[in-house]
């Protein structure tokens, strides 16, 4: 009888990687990214091309997520070789790492001991500021942002405008997190006046948005509306600032009952916002857009609530949409009560309270489409109203507003519906086409404005009209001579 011997496969050696080594490699990669960004800033200063600075700021959110005390400690020690006082000041706001890394020499050449460019200095200080905000050390963040503002305001350099604009936003954010926004309103107005005079378009856009955010934080909608009317938002501003401005405009117009304009602004804000990031901003705008669309009497499309990034955030608004679509007052009241905290935090509760009338109108429209004649008592019962008298008043207002085409017979106590009118006999198709054509024309005009054109010196190398006519005349004469030579060649 053959015996079988069990064999055990040899276990391959597994390379054990040290966690600290992998973290050191990540930190070294982040430090290298920051050094590359600083080279781009130097290039922007030398060539006076804003696109290099924009390239650095475009990667700001990615760099911010990778920051830690080791990276900041290495960057500050590597670049602040010219001033021990500035180095000590910055290091006092950075948490000392547990394992202090070796100092890396990051400046070489003739300027290794010279003062840093103000743009580079502002960029590194901004990194320190956002690290304080992310650590939720708001007291130190306010203190450091005040020092940063003093540092940047003294400089009058156009290449520093984009860094300063970013600093304005975080300065406002620090005071917002500590509930002290009222303290910097005068400062923001002073800087807005200066930015307007210097034609600092990005700074102007950021400051207008900061002031609008300041007013809306304290529910000062009238003052915010006056600011929008009296200030001119620069067309050269970045898409992010345009999206913020459109969102704030949408909130203001919605509070002032201008729902059509508000919905238009919110849709444009969603289109200008980043599509693969800024999820929180898109959620906030979409919540307000859904509410305004319901106030307009329209029902949002279902695919809006099915998007992966919006599905959970829009659950209260989906329930709200269902209640409005069905005209169910009971469901509307339950949704309002269950999700009141969500609506208050989203700043939409005041608008949602106004939706009760829309729910009633939807119910009346459904009743009018279902019945050619129905008693007022039955309508009051379906709507859950206290008395038929209230139902009669609501129906009469719906008839006056054009919600339903019907007449009320008070003697017999019923509502008689009229035959529906063909929509193509009205002006609605024309208005719909006009809206679409206007949108396409506006999109074309904005696309033309966003294009980059060659400089004016480009036309110097081109021939003038007279030179072109002379060249064409010479070409014609040459063609005639060649034709005559060909004719002479044949017998």
């Amino acid at each position: 009888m053959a015996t079988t011997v069990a064999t055990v496969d040899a276990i391959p050696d597994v390379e054990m990687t040290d966690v600290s080594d992998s973290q050191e490699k990540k930190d070294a990669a982040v430090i290298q990214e920051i050094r590359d960004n600083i080279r781009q800033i130097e290039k922007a200063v030398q060539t006076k091309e804003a696109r290099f600075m924009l390239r650095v700021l475009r990667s700001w959110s990615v760099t911010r997520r990778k920051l830690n005390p080791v990276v900041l400690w290495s960057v500050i020690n590597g670049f602040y070789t010219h001033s021990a006082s500035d180095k000590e000041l910055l290091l006092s706001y950075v948490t000392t790492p547990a394992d202090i890394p070796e100092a890396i020499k990051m400046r070489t050449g003739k300027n290794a001991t010279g003062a840093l460019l103000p743009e580079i200095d502002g960029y590194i200080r901004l990194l320190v500021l956002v690290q304080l905000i992310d650590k939720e050390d708001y007291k130190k963040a306010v203190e450091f942002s005040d020092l940063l503002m003093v540092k940047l305001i003294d400089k009058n350099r156009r290449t520093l405008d984009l860094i300063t604009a970013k600093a304005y936003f975080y300065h406002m954010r620090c005071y917002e997190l500590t509930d002290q926004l009222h303290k910097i309103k005068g400062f923001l107005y002073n800087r807005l006046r200066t930015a307007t005079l210097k034609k600092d378009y990005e700074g102007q856009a950021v400051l207008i948005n900061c002031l609008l955010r300041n007013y809306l934080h304290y529910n000062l909608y009238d003052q915010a509306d006056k600011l929008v009317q009296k200030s001119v938002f620069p067309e050269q501003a970045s898409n992010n600032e345009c999206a913020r401005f459109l969102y704030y405009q949408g909130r203001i117009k919605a509070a002032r009952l201008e729902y059509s304009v508000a919905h238009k602004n919110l849709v444009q804000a969603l289109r200008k916002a980043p599509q693969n990031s800024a999820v929180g901003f898109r959620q906030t705008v979409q919540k307000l857009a859904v509410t305004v669309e319901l106030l307009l009497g329209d029902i949002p499309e279902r695919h809006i609530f099915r998007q992966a990034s919006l599905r959970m955030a829009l659950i209260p608004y989906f329930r709200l949409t269902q209640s409005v679509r069905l005209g169910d007052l009971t469901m509307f009241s339950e949704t309002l009560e269950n999700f009141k905290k969500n609506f208050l935090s989203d700043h939409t509760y005041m608008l949602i309270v106004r939706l009760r009338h829309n729910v009633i109108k939807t119910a009346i429209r459904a009743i009018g489409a279902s019945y050619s004649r129905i008693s007022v008592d039955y309508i009051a019962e379906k709507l859950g109203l206290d008395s038929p008298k209230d139902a009669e008043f609501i129906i009469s207002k719906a008839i006056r507003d054009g919600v339903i085409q019907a007449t009320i017979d008070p003697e017999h106590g019923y509502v008689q519906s009229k035959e529906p009118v063909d929509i193509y006999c009205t002006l609605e198709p024309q208005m719909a086409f006009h809206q679409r054509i206007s949108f396409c024309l506006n999109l074309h005009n904005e696309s033309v404005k966003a294009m980059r054109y060659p400089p004016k010196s480009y036309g110097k190398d081109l021939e003038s009209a007279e030179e072109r006519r002379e060249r064409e005349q010479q070409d014609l004469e040459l063609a005639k001579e060649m034709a005559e030579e060909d004719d002479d060649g044949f017998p």
Side-chain angles (χ1 to χ4, degrees), residues 162-177:
L162 293 173
I163 297 286
T164 308
K166 182 71 76 174
Y168 288 147
F169 172 78
Y170 286 110
H171 183 61
M172 180 275 304
R173 183 63 179 153
C174 291
Y175 276 84
E176 183 184 33
L177 292 169

Side-chain angles (χ1 to χ4, degrees), residues 376 392 408-414:
V376 177
E392 190 174 339
I408 301 175
D409 189 345
E411 294 181 2
H412 299 88
Y414 65 81

Side-chain angles (χ1 to χ4, degrees), residues 422-452:
D422 185 10
I423 194 171
Y424 290 100
C425 297
T426 64
L427 294 176
E428 287 194 23
Q430 179 185 349
M431 293 169 63
F433 278 118
H434 175 71
Q435 185 179 3
R436 294 176 185 178
I437 292 168
S438 300
F439 170 73
C440 293
L441 290 174
N442 290 334
L443 183 62
H444 173 266
N445 292 337
E446 290 179 4
S447 301
V448 171
K449 289 178 183 177
M451 292 173 66
R452 293 185 65 189

Side-chain angles (χ1 to χ4, degrees), residues 143-211:
E143 183 183 336
F144 189 77
S145 67
D146 289 335
L147 296 174
L148 179 60
M149 285 294 104
V150 172
K151 192 84 173 175
L152 293 176
I153 287 170
D154 291 341
K155 304 292 187 298
N156 187 15
R157 295 164 66 97
R158 299 283 66 79
T159 50
L160 193 60
D161 287 345
L162 293 173
I163 297 286
T164 308
K166 182 71 76 174
Y168 288 147
F169 172 78
Y170 286 110
H171 183 61
M172 180 275 304
R173 183 63 179 153
C174 291
Y175 276 84
E176 183 184 33
L177 292 169
T178 53
D179 199 15
Q180 303 179 64
L181 272 179
H182 59 280
K183 293 184 179 180
I184 60 168
K185 191 183 298 180
F187 169 80
L188 294 176
Y189 267 114
N190 289 334
R191 298 316 304 165
L192 177 59
R193 182 172 61 248
T194 305
T196 306
L197 292 173
K198 292 180 178 179
K199 295 184 178 180
D200 175 11
Y201 299 118
E202 188 67 17
Q204 193 177 344
V206 171
L207 288 165
I208 289 173
N209 284 334
C210 289
L211 284 166

Side-chain angles (χ1 to χ4, degrees), residues 141-399:
V142 170
E143 183 183 336
F144 189 77
S145 67
D146 289 335
L147 296 174
L148 179 60
M149 285 294 104
V150 172
K151 192 84 173 175
L152 293 176
I153 287 170
D154 291 341
K155 304 292 187 298
N156 187 15
R157 295 164 66 97
R158 299 283 66 79
T159 50
L160 193 60
D161 287 345
L162 293 173
I163 297 286
T164 308
K166 182 71 76 174
Y168 288 147
F169 172 78
Y170 286 110
H171 183 61
M172 180 275 304
R173 183 63 179 153
C174 291
Y175 276 84
E176 183 184 33
L177 292 169
T178 53
D179 199 15
Q180 303 179 64
L181 272 179
H182 59 280
K183 293 184 179 180
I184 60 168
K185 191 183 298 180
F187 169 80
L188 294 176
Y189 267 114
N190 289 334
R191 298 316 304 165
L192 177 59
R193 182 172 61 248
T194 305
T196 306
L197 292 173
K198 292 180 178 179
K199 295 184 178 180
D200 175 11
Y201 299 118
E202 188 67 17
Q204 193 177 344
V206 171
L207 288 165
I208 289 173
N209 284 334
C210 289
L211 284 166
L212 289 176
R213 186 165 177 161
N214 198 321
Y215 284 129
L216 294 177
H217 180 77
Y218 296 106
N219 296 323
L220 301 173
Y221 288 96
D222 290 336
Q223 294 186 29
D225 189 48
K226 288 178 183 177
L227 175 62
V228 171
Q229 291 175 1
K230 293 184 179 181
S231 61
V232 179
F233 191 81
E235 296 180 356
Q236 297 88 342
S238 63
N239 274 350
N240 291 348
E241 297 305 322
C242 288
R244 286 193 182 101
F245 180 70
L246 289 167
Y247 164 67
Y248 295 141
Q249 265 194 314
R251 277 186 64 182
I252 295 165
K253 297 300 181 185
R256 296 177 64 83
L257 306 179
E258 300 177 28
Y259 299 131
S260 299
V261 182
H263 187 259
K264 179 183 175 183
N265 289 331
L266 293 170
V267 170
Q268 288 181 347
L270 283 171
R271 286 173 179 153
K272 284 187 175 290
Q275 299 303 310
N276 299 322
S277 58
V279 177
F281 178 78
R282 287 191 289 114
Q283 287 178 352
T284 303
V285 178
Q286 192 65 68
K287 290 173 184 177
L288 186 58
V290 168
T291 307
V292 172
E293 194 169 352
L294 291 173
L295 286 167
L296 282 169
D298 300 329
I299 303 298
E301 296 182 7
R302 185 175 286 270
H303 74 84
I304 293 173
F305 302 100
R306 290 180 174 176
Q307 298 179 37
S309 58
L310 304 177
R311 187 185 296 117
M312 295 301 296
L314 292 181
I315 286 176
Y317 296 87
F318 179 67
R319 295 287 303 277
L320 197 67
T321 304
Q322 284 182 321
S323 65
V324 174
R325 185 177 64 84
L326 298 172
D328 191 343
L329 270 176
T330 306
M331 185 178 180
F332 174 78
S333 301
E334 289 177 358
T335 304
L336 192 62
E337 184 179 352
N338 294 336
F339 298 102
K340 185 177 179 179
K341 290 182 180 180
N342 300 70
F343 297 143
L344 286 171
S345 63
D346 296 337
H347 306 287
T348 55
Y349 183 77
M350 180 181 66
L351 299 174
I352 291 170
V353 170
R354 302 176 190 172
L355 275 175
R356 186 176 186 276
H357 185 61
N358 290 58
V359 177
I360 294 173
K361 284 199 301 184
T362 305
I364 292 173
R365 191 183 293 115
I367 292 170
S370 303
Y371 299 91
S372 59
R373 189 170 72 175
I374 185 172
S375 66
V376 177
D377 295 339
Y378 185 64
I379 292 175
E381 184 182 345
K382 275 186 84 68
L383 294 179
L385 300 174
D386 297 332
S387 65
K389 206 76 173 175
D390 294 341
E392 190 174 339
F393 287 138
I394 290 171
I395 294 165
S396 60
K397 188 176 186 305
I399 293 170

